[in-house]
Amino acid sequence: KNEVEQSPQNLTAQEGEFITINCSYSVGISALHWLQQHPGGGIVSLFMLSSGKKKHGRLIATINIQEKHSSLHITASHPRDSAVYICAVRLGSGTYKYIFGTGTRLKVLA
Amino acid sequence: NAGVTQTPKFRILKIGQSMTLQCTQDMNHNYMYWYRQDPGMGLKLIYYSVGAGITDKGEVPNGYNVSRSTTEDFPLRLELAAPSQTSVYFCASHLPQGRQKDGYTFGSGTRLTVV
């Protein structure tokens, strides 16, 4: 079993739909990152969370430390949101070692 | 700021050849990383550095070497290329933990094929 699991692996949505991508982890962490990888391959950091919730535009990320779970929500999805979304956890405080999920491939249809 | 710059973007190597993947950042980030991304797999850490002159192995360091003579540059060296090193390589950087509010900055990647 992977230490960081994402679900679903693949997701197709219609433009305008509300999207949720989940990340569960089984290790102690000091922070969790959500990354976006575009079809061309570039990776962009969306959020870094250690507790609670963050919002940026149409993107919302939440984390529940007790349940070892995080969600990334996209409101009013758009075809330009089509990408692979990657969850990564930083192991413990004072370390810079990360474990990455295998990603959720999102396709938003017009 | 240019962010994290990786060169080259693409490269084909023959088995046994050597090459250096270049990574430069202009954000004065202390922490720099090299990852490889294989199809269907999460990013795997090859090497990382917490500052000039300090490097350490990650999960998959065999077949690679790094150096960090300056804050800006973190080149990755492949000495004897093998087909198992065919992958996409990403360089990334960030500020120290207490100042890392914006997470990582990644380079655009290097797609390497070893034939």
Side-chain angles (χ1 to χ4, degrees):
Chain A
K1 189 179 187 326
N2 292 333
E3 291 163 305
V4 177
E5 297 269 1
Q6 288 185 236
S7 64
Q9 288 187 310
N10 295 282
L11 180 57
T12 300
Q14 293 293 326
E15 183 173 358
E17 283 186 8
F18 181 85
I19 290 164
T20 295
I21 298 170
N22 296 298
C23 176
S24 296
Y25 53 93
S26 58
V27 293
I29 72 169
S30 59
L32 182 145
H33 294 253
W34 281 103
L35 309 171
Q36 180 191 53
Q37 186 168 24
H38 295 288
I43 299 175
V44 175
S45 181
L46 298 175
F47 295 104
M48 186 181 76
L49 294 162
S50 54
S51 64
K53 175 180 172 177
K54 285 190 176 180
K55 184 176 190 288
H56 181 71
R58 294 180 296 105
L59 302 178
I60 302 166
T62 64
I63 187 168
N64 185 318
I65 296 294
Q66 286 72 32
E67 294 187 4
K68 295 189 173 181
H69 181 269
S70 176
S71 293
L72 176 68
H73 306 287
I74 305 175
T75 62
S77 59
H78 190 277
R80 64 175 175 266
D81 297 324
S82 298
V84 176
Y85 292 85
I86 300 169
C87 171
V89 298
R90 186 175 73 205
L91 302 180
S93 183
T95 178
Y96 292 89
K97 295 191 176 175
Y98 291 78
I99 301 175
F100 292 80
T102 55
T104 294
R105 188 174 299 273
L106 171 65
K107 186 171 185 178
V108 181
L109 303 175
Chain B
N1 288 347
V4 177
T5 302
Q6 278 185 246
T7 57
K9 291 194 185 311
F10 303 94
R11 184 74 184 266
I12 298 174
L13 279 183
K14 294 186 178 179
I15 293 171
Q17 286 186 319
S18 300
M19 77 165 293
T20 299
L21 282 67
Q22 301 290 348
C23 176
T24 299
Q25 53 87 14
D26 61 357
M27 299 169 286
N28 204 30
H29 284 177
N30 302 72
Y31 299 92
M32 297 187 74
Y33 303 78
W34 275 105
Y35 294 99
R36 59 179 287 171
Q37 185 179 43
D38 299 319
M41 306 288 287
L43 290 156
K44 298 290 186 186
L45 179 64
I46 305 171
Y47 271 94
Y48 69 102
S49 169
V50 299
I54 306 168
T55 63
D56 205 353
K57 296 178 181 179
E59 303 169 77
V60 290
N62 291 344
Y64 307 95
N65 274 302
V66 293
S67 60
R68 185 95 182 270
S69 57
T70 66
T71 299
E72 294 79 17
D73 300 308
F74 191 41
L76 178 71
R77 178 86 178 156
L78 282 71
E79 289 295 347
L80 292 171
S84 60
Q85 293 177 304
T86 294
S87 189
V88 181
Y89 292 83
F90 288 96
C91 179
S93 72
H94 63 74
L95 288 168
Q97 187 171 334
R99 296 161 57 198
Q100 194 193 355
K101 55 180 180 175
D102 294 328
Y104 278 101
T105 302
F106 282 82
S108 57
T110 296
R111 188 174 295 273
L112 176 66
T113 303
V114 182
V115 296

